[in-house]
Amino acid sequence: MAGTAMEQDYSGHRGRLIYRASSTSDPAMVKKAGAPFDIDGLDEKIIAALRCNGRIATRDLATEVGVKEATVRAHLRRLEDNDIVRVVAMRDLAALGYNCVSAVGIQVRGRPAADVAAELAEMEQVITVAVAIGIHDLEVQLVARDVHELDQLLTGVIAKVRGVDQIFPSVALKVMKYVSEWAPF
């Protein structure tokens, strides 16, 4: 399930307020702690309406989906209590001046990959860190305001983290798809 954003001020940063919904390959079933969770047609309508306007009043949402306000409240409570949807604020990277996105593969030596990953995760401009199996021990995504800042981050900061052996950066020239509606793991 996807979520759509509504612009808002958030702690001095321009951000978006969105509802996020999890999904498996079968959109009618969502797993929580190993147990299936049924999403019915009304849930789908509610989530779709919230994608268009995450701040819609429950009364207006009920009118839009054609049910009583109490019914919408019950469905929202059930969806939120089961971690199917949640409201989150997201920073708008472009509005904050981050114009460079880089995927970086990192090979680690002499230190556990998880320890290096934990240290990298503390850095503000590192937006994802994953311990991986494959060519790289870590898969990292980071943002920078420009190429100079990206260079400094890669060579002056990340390369100097104890355990980082080799860095394999790739700079995004044009982002063709970025699905920000999915909640992180």
Side-chain angles (χ1 to χ4, degrees), residues 101-134:
V101 177
S102 179
V104 182
I106 298 175
Q107 289 182 343
V108 175
R109 183 175 297 191
R111 187 173 178 205
D115 292 350
V116 175
E119 189 171 336
L120 294 173
E122 295 296 319
M123 298 176 186
E124 179 183 354
Q125 290 170 279
V126 174
I127 59 175
T128 64
V129 179
V131 176
I133 295 175

Side-chain angles (χ1 to χ4, degrees), residues 27 31 41-42 45 47-48 52 70 79 82 91 118 125 130 133 138 140 144 148 164 167 179 183-184:
K31 298 266 184 187
L42 180 56
K45 286 180 183 178
I47 292 168
C52 295
L79 291 167
N82 286 283
R91 292 180 185 169
Q125 290 170 279
I133 295 175
L138 303 177
V140 176
H148 176 72
V164 170
I167 299 174
V179 181

Side-chain angles (χ1 to χ4, degrees), residues 13-14 91-101 125 143-147 149-150:
H13 297 287
R14 186 172 166 217
R91 292 180 185 169
D92 184 325
L93 295 173
L96 292 170
Y98 293 107
N99 297 306
C100 290
V101 177
Q125 290 170 279
V143 294
R145 287 181 171 75
D146 54 37
V147 175
E149 187 175 86
L150 179 61

Side-chain angles (χ1 to χ4, degrees), residues 1-74:
M1 301 293 122
T4 298
M6 174 98 184
E7 298 293 327
Q8 82 165 48
D9 255 356
Y10 180 72
S11 301
H13 297 287
R14 186 172 166 217
R16 293 182 248 158
L17 182 68
I18 66 169
Y19 265 84
R20 293 186 175 178
S22 307
S23 177
T24 63
S25 58
D26 178 2
M29 300 292 286
V30 175
K31 298 266 184 187
K32 180 177 192 283
F37 185 91
D38 289 321
I39 293 179
D40 62 25
L42 180 56
D43 293 329
E44 293 288 355
K45 286 180 183 178
I46 291 169
I47 292 168
L50 290 168
R51 283 186 201 129
C52 295
N53 181 356
R55 293 178 147 186
I56 190 171
T58 309
R59 171 185 64 250
D60 297 333
L61 181 56
T63 300
E64 189 169 325
V65 299
V67 296
K68 293 182 180 181
E69 186 176 353
T71 303
V72 168
R73 278 200 187 133

Side-chain angles (χ1 to χ4, degrees), residues 111-183:
R111 187 173 178 205
D115 292 350
V116 175
E119 189 171 336
L120 294 173
E122 295 296 319
M123 298 176 186
E124 179 183 354
Q125 290 170 279
V126 174
I127 59 175
T128 64
V129 179
V131 176
I133 295 175
I135 296 172
H136 307 119
D137 300 309
L138 303 177
E139 298 279 338
V140 176
Q141 187 176 27
L142 52 94
V143 294
R145 287 181 171 75
D146 54 37
V147 175
H148 176 72
E149 187 175 86
L150 179 61
D151 175 44
Q152 277 301 109
L153 186 59
L154 289 169
T155 61
V157 180
I158 292 176
K160 294 182 179 182
V161 170
R162 188 172 61 82
V164 170
D165 185 44
Q166 292 186 51
I167 299 174
F168 302 90
S170 174
V171 177
L173 299 177
K174 183 176 181 182
V175 177
M176 302 299 288
K177 179 180 180 180
Y178 180 77
V179 181
S180 62
E181 294 87 10
W182 289 92

